[in-house]
Each structure stands twice: as C-alpha cells, then as structure tokens.
Amino acid sequence: MAGTGILVLGIGNRFRHDDGVGPVIAERLEASGIATRVESGEGAELMEAWQGFPHVVLVDAASSGAAAGTLHRFEAAETRLPTGLFHYSSHLFSVAEAIEMARILGRLPGRMTVYGIEGRDFSYGEGLSVEVAAAADVAEAEIRALVAAGRG
Amino acid sequence: MSKRTLKSTSTVKPGARGKAGGRAKAPIQAVSRNIKVDALARVEGEGALYVRVKDDVIEDIKFRIFEPPRFFEAFLRGRIYSDAPDITARICGICPIAYQMGASQAMEQALGVTVTGPLRDLRRLIYCGEWIESHVLHAAMLHAPDFLGLQDALQLAKDDPEIVETALKLKKLGNTIIEVIGGRAAHPINLKVGGFYRAPRKEKIRELIEPLKWAIDAAIGVAKVFGGFEFPDYEDDYTCVSLRHPDEYAIHEGRIVSNRGLDIPVADFHKHFKEEHVRHSNALHGMMMDGTVYLTGPNARYNNNYAQLSKLAKRVAKDIGLGKTCNNLYQSILVRMVETVYACEEAIRLAEAYEEPDESCVAVTPRRGVGAGCTEAPRGICFHRYELDDEGRIVAARIQAPTSQNQPQIERDLRGVVGANLRLSDEDLKWRCEQTIRNYDPCISCATHFLKFTIDRE
C-alpha cells in the first residue's frame, strides 16, 4: 500500500481539544503524501488498521499527570507501554491494550513507534492548547525524519 | 481452552450459600460491610455500585449511573424528521443500528410509509451484523474473563489466543456486514427514513456468504467452550419483555410481548411502561405501569421466542446445556452465542436471497404525525417515539434504551446475589456483583469504562 511501508495512525477526537493532536498531525503528514489513518482508538479496529505495515507510527494524546506538552516516545515492539498513560476508550480496549493484545497474538508490526503527547484540555471544542501545539510541531518533524529515513 | 474455576466460588462452602442460619461462627457483635466499586470495568460507560450490609442484612444496594445525561431528545426538537436516524446513531458506538432503525421506523409510522421487500431484508441483514459484532465483543472479550477468574481479555488472550483470534474475526465480520450495507462500521451513514441512500451491490452482499459460513462453525466452537464454564447458581422469575414477530425470531420488527401475557403494538408502549427518576442514577429507571420490574435482552428474547429459533440454533443451545428457557442470567453468555449462530444463519439466508432493488428507499412526504418504533438492540428493546409538525419537524422525542429499562432488574439481581453470597469475602463478593452487572452487557453510554463498587459491612 504505502511506498515507504510506514503508516501514521492518528488517534483521537478533534472535537475534544488536545485529544485531537493525533488526527491533527496525521492530517498534516497526509498532505505530504505520507500514508496516514485517523482512528478513534478502538482496539480491534486499530489492529486491523495497521495490518500489513512493517512500521507503524502511532500518535495519541496522553494523560499521565506530566506537564502539558510532554512528549512520551516508545518503541512498542521492544518495550511494554506503561499503563495509565492513555485515556481509556469507551470500548473494548484502548490503544495500550490493543498494542498488548497484538503483542500476545503476534500481530504487532515489526516496528511500532508510539508518540504520546501529554494534553491539558480535553473539554469540548476544537483547537490545541499552546503547549500541545508546540509538542505537535516537534513530533511532526520527528515523524517526517522517520519517514525520510525509511525512504532513504 | 484450559478450564478454570472462578476463584471466588472456592470460598463458598457447599450448602452455605444463601442459608441465613448456616453459619459456623456467628458474629457476636454487629458486622457491617460496605462494598464499593467506583468504576466498573468491561462495561460501556460510567457506573458505580454501592452495597451496605449490616448483620447479614442488606441495607442498601445502588447501581449508580453517574455519567451525565446527554439530552439527545432535546437536540432533536425542531429538527427535520430525516435527521433523527443519524443523530440518534450517535447515542451508541456499539449498537448504532438499533437507534437508526428505531428512529426510522417511528418516522415511517408517523409519515405513513412501510418498508418491505429487499429493503426490509437489508435492514434485517445489517441488524444481524450488529448482533454478531456486539454479542461476540461482549461474550468473548468482556464477559468470558469473569468465568475464568481473569481480569481482562488480555489475560484471556494469553490463556487461549485461539479463542480471542476467533472472537476478533467474528466481530470483524459483524462490522463488515454493517460496513457493506451501512457505509461504515461505527455510526453508519447509509441508513435513512424509508430505507437506504444507496442499495449495496449484489456481489458485495454475496461476498459475505462464505465468511458467514465460517462464522457459524466458529460461533458454535466458541459457544461450546463457554458451555463448559461453571455458572453461579442464581435465578429469578423474570418478567421477560421482548418483541415478537409472527414469522421470524424478532430482531427489527414485531409487537411487544411478555411471558406474562402482554401483547401490544409498539405504539402502545407508554400505556404499559414508564420511566422514573431515582436520585442515584442519571438514567431513568424503566418499569411497567404497576411498578413491575422487567427484563429485556437476550434471555428475554430467548424465553419468549425460543420456538422461532432455527433448528441449528436450538441444537447448539441444547448441546451447551440450555433448556427452552433460561433464567440464570450468568448463562446470558450462552444465549448470546446461540443468537450469534442464529444471526449468522439468518444473514446467509438474507444475503443469498438479495437482489438489488429498483429504488434504494421508499419515498416519504413530510406531514404532521406521531410514530413509534422499536427494535431488539443486542441488549434489549430500544423504543423511540416522535411527534412531527406539518413540515415534518420534530416537536417531541422519547427514546428508551434497553439499559435504562434493565436498571431496576439489575438492582434486584444484585440484591438477590448479595443475599445469597454473604459468605464471600468482600473481594469475591465484589467480583460476583460486577459479573452480575455484566450479565446485562450494560451500555451505560459511550464514555470511559470504569465502575465504582462500594460495600459497607457495618
């Protein structure tokens, strides 16, 4: 599907302010021709979405108590995600649970880079807080570098 | 699957359960217990449980729904009739079809049209998809861990990856059916008052048949594994309320019936059923006009309409230990799998017969009117009623979701279960209470998933 074999998954709801950071980044990257998908964060769907991609970059808002805009980075194929970092979704499992389920079932991509961006404002409405917007720029640049390295 | 026994059952001595006088060591002073669950896991939405027991007497039991009210009925007022299916679909991400179809049928009644033939078949087919995805998700991923002493589906996947893989594949197939007919799996976009925006292509529907044949066998396999669980021993003499249709196991149409002789058209729902506000819940409590608490959902359907299940579904039911009625709601996990088998078979039948219709919907002309619609959501009957003005704008809306109707019955079950299991430790009793709530697959709403449980033992 994707030329580079990298898929960027933006998780979240853009109508809940900082929760929309994943979709916002995915949208910007898509404009540059990078394979992206926006997902709500329902685990079963996620596992389907990343099937067939050797490298998946997953971007989601985080809520761990760290300062707003903190950028958490994980290589999920190598380490377990700390629990409690991501919001629980309304459904079967959240992002972290989906990753763990995929690990158990042998369905993780060869490489999975997870960006968790600590949010401040998860209330109704559009637009990112200043801290999260700044972190989004950093994450976006890093992901572009990852994609470029993949292409190279 | 490795068969494991629920941990808590080991703390119950044979014969001790439910016998008030069977205590070996009678407490000298008053013993009070408070059991609390602040946020129940493996349910949809935010709810809590509080139990207070004093000297083995239950003083208080509350199943609290603290998720804020969502005002969907108010949003609908002033909007055109055709907005209702898409707006109400947003009430639930797991069972949007129930809302879309109930709203559509209510509008159709108000506007004097009927949907028949292939369009009706498509509705039943997409509903089968919803039953499959919702039932399998709940039974395999949310409910099964209760019977295995496991915390969640992750542990289940470690124990038995095969059953989790099968369940995920079955759920995916349910979603695919919804996608093919509805345009997308969550909050489908192709359903409307009068039918569909666009009729699916015949070959797309036919492509569902082969995977569905696999699904029948897969669902039977899962059902047999679950049939080997040990089920806590608790029954009630439930008043079972469901739809009934003369020609088929009711899913998306029928009259509202009960096992006590009720048999009414959907439009008469409010003559027989009411909702009351209770302080500890943000969801209204449903009951019959005389205050009777009732059950809706898989077991109510099964008990009322068993005769209309397919031969295969009946055989599977028998093989996994179910009779013609089932009043042990822990076995709702089995009934869900029997209904899944049925939904797969029914979906094949509908898919094989499907021919593309000339029109994707019945033409509708806005007018003044009142209409009601009711379907069997996976969790039970989901009722809608709307009043329209001359232009077809919504003047009044009422929606009664299955979980609000089941709430008083959930509390009644909890009272019975706690009373019968006072010998359990707080931790085990808490587990049993959560399991009891999960029998209902409550869809508290689509928010975070936790439940708060409190037991006070004074």
Side-chain angles (χ1 to χ4, degrees):
Chain A
M1 267 166 84
T4 63
I6 293 186
L7 171 73
V8 179
L9 273 173
I11 315 293
N13 180 350
R14 67 182 77 235
F15 300 106
R16 297 297 290 265
H17 288 295
D18 290 342
D19 192 40
V21 66
V24 165
I25 292 174
E27 206 165 78
R28 289 190 211 154
L29 295 170
E30 187 166 26
S32 313
I34 295 167
T36 66
R37 266 185 84 152
V38 170
E39 292 280 342
S40 66
E42 200 272 312
E45 292 295 313
L46 279 181
M47 287 165 61
E48 291 297 329
W50 70 53
Q51 229 170 16
F53 287 90
H55 184 183
V56 173
V57 180
L58 189 150
V59 191
D60 192 6
S63 176
S64 69
T70 303
L71 211 49
H72 309 271
R73 301 175 189 78
F74 305 94
E75 285 298 332
E78 292 161 22
T79 52
R80 281 179 67 99
L81 257 65
T83 51
L85 183 63
F86 298 103
H87 274 293
Y88 276 96
S89 83
S90 56
H91 303 301
L92 166 56
F93 26 60
S94 66
V95 170
E97 289 163 311
I99 290 172
E100 290 318 308
M101 179 68 88
R103 191 192 311 282
I104 293 164
L105 299 176
R107 288 221 224 152
L108 266 190
R111 186 175 175 196
M112 171 166 272
T113 313
V114 177
Y115 281 87
I117 301 174
E118 193 75 19
R120 177 166 61 79
D121 180 5
F122 294 104
S123 65
Y124 293 114
E126 291 181 83
L128 304 176
S129 64
V130 181
E131 301 92 325
V132 170
D137 290 343
V138 176
E140 183 191 340
E142 287 188 18
I143 295 167
R144 283 185 189 280
L146 278 176
V147 173
R151 279 186 177 136
Chain B
M1 169 178 281
S2 58
K3 193 171 160 188
R4 289 165 60 171
T5 315
L6 185 67
K7 267 184 296 179
S8 60
T9 56
S10 62
T11 62
V12 184
K13 292 194 180 77
R17 191 180 299 166
K19 286 183 185 168
R23 265 180 312 203
K25 293 178 199 166
I28 295 163
Q29 59 199 36
V31 176
S32 298
R33 305 165 82 188
N34 286 325
I35 291 183
K36 275 163 88 169
V37 177
D38 289 338
L40 184 70
R42 287 187 271 131
V43 299
E44 302 297 331
E46 294 180 9
L49 177 64
Y50 176 78
V51 177
R52 191 171 70 242
V53 179
K54 189 173 182 184
D55 288 341
D56 280 0
V57 175
I58 301 163
E59 294 201 320
D60 197 14
I61 283 193
K62 286 193 181 83
F63 173 44
R64 282 180 55 221
I65 290 185
F66 54 82
E67 176 132 346
R70 293 161 78 202
F71 306 115
F72 269 91
E73 285 135 318
F75 297 155
L76 287 162
R77 259 182 260 148
R79 289 186 175 267
I80 196 75
Y81 74 92
S82 52
D83 283 353
D86 289 323
I87 291 179
T88 57
R90 293 281 164 171
I91 293 174
C92 185
I94 301 286
C95 54
I97 302 295
Y99 290 95
Q100 293 194 312
M101 219 171 281
S104 296
Q105 288 175 354
M107 294 306 178
E108 285 152 15
Q109 190 178 72
L111 301 171
V113 299
T114 319
V115 174
T116 56
L119 298 178
R120 181 187 190 277
D121 285 354
L122 278 176
R123 284 186 161 180
R124 189 164 167 87
L125 179 53
I126 196 173
Y127 221 125
C128 286
E130 180 158 289
W131 271 26
I132 295 167
E133 58 91 10
S134 177
H135 275 357
V136 172
L137 172 71
H138 182 261
M141 312 300 261
L142 308 182
H143 207 193
D146 279 334
F147 297 91
L148 298 162
L150 301 175
Q151 285 300 328
D152 55 31
L154 290 175
Q155 288 188 22
L156 183 59
K158 281 180 194 157
D159 248 35
D160 193 339
E162 202 181 318
I163 203 159
V164 172
E165 286 280 11
T166 304
L168 284 170
K169 208 168 151 191
L170 277 168
K171 180 193 181 295
K172 167 96 177 120
L173 178 58
N175 283 354
T176 303
I177 295 172
I178 298 175
E179 251 170 63
V180 166
I181 302 170
R184 64 182 184 194
H187 312 307
I189 45 172
N190 192 33
L191 282 77
K192 63 184 284 196
V193 177
F196 298 87
Y197 286 97
R198 192 176 151 184
R201 310 296 302 181
K202 184 171 158 180
E203 64 266 22
K204 284 285 167 197
I205 296 292
R206 293 285 200 274
E207 280 170 17
L208 298 169
I209 295 171
E210 278 310 306
L212 279 163
K213 287 180 180 167
W214 164 85
I216 290 180
D217 290 338
I220 292 173
V222 174
K224 286 187 173 163
V225 172
F226 295 169
F229 289 166
E230 275 185 37
F231 297 97
D233 179 20
Y234 181 80
E235 291 194 358
D236 195 0
D237 181 20
Y238 294 101
T239 296
C240 297
V241 174
S242 72
L243 292 184
R244 181 179 288 148
H245 190 279
D247 308 322
E248 60 199 17
Y249 192 75
I251 297 177
H252 70 307
E253 271 179 24
R255 288 168 66 86
I256 296 171
V257 303
S258 81
N259 57 344
R260 315 266 193 243
L262 182 80
D263 186 351
I264 58 166
V266 165
D268 285 355
F269 181 79
H270 283 134
K271 289 183 188 163
H272 300 269
F273 297 90
K274 61 179 177 178
E275 283 184 307
E276 284 185 356
H277 178 71
V278 294
R279 283 180 66 91
H280 63 272
S281 177
N282 281 341
L284 297 171
H285 275 206
M287 58 196 72
M288 301 184 84
M289 279 303 176
D290 62 1
T292 302
V293 167
Y294 65 96
L295 172 75
T296 185
N299 287 58
R301 290 192 288 261
Y302 184 87
N303 290 350
N304 288 349
N305 300 325
Y306 170 86
Q308 290 169 304
L309 281 169
S310 64
K311 255 190 211 165
L312 178 64
K314 284 178 187 165
R315 197 170 74 222
V316 172
K318 193 177 173 198
D319 287 350
I320 59 178
L322 292 175
K324 291 179 182 175
T325 58
C326 176
N327 286 319
N328 179 339
L329 284 208
Y330 298 101
Q331 291 180 322
S332 62
I333 190 171
L334 303 182
V335 176
R336 283 192 182 89
M337 290 317 298
V338 169
E339 285 195 336
T340 301
V341 171
Y342 176 77
C344 292
E345 275 187 284
E346 189 64 357
I348 292 175
R349 185 184 70 77
L350 294 162
E352 282 176 342
Y354 178 69
E355 296 294 338
E356 286 172 37
D358 295 333
E359 301 290 339
S360 67
C361 64
V362 179
V364 173
T365 311
R367 66 171 198 197
R368 176 177 292 273
V370 176
C374 188
T375 65
E376 283 287 353
R379 293 153 188 83
I381 58 169
C382 181
F383 176 84
H384 296 241
R385 181 183 182 276
Y386 302 96
E387 290 176 36
L388 304 179
D389 68 10
D390 292 334
E391 295 172 342
R393 289 193 184 278
I394 298 166
V395 179
R398 281 289 294 279
I399 302 166
Q400 269 151 275
T403 295
S404 68
Q405 299 176 62
N406 273 331
Q407 273 183 106
Q409 184 65 60
I410 291 174
E411 289 191 340
R412 192 177 137 115
D413 279 7
L414 285 168
R415 193 168 283 277
V417 166
V418 169
N421 291 284
L422 287 167
R423 297 297 169 280
L424 295 181
S425 70
D426 283 4
E427 206 42 45
D428 288 342
L429 189 54
K430 176 176 152 178
W431 179 293
R432 181 62 55 85
C433 286
E434 293 196 51
Q435 183 179 15
T436 303
I437 293 172
R438 282 192 283 266
N439 288 342
Y440 286 81
D441 185 10
C443 192
I444 294 171
S445 89
C446 299
T448 53
H449 74 185
F450 281 110
L451 185 129
K452 187 172 171 129
F453 175 91
T454 308
I455 178 162
D456 283 335
R457 299 195 199 225
E458 284 182 21

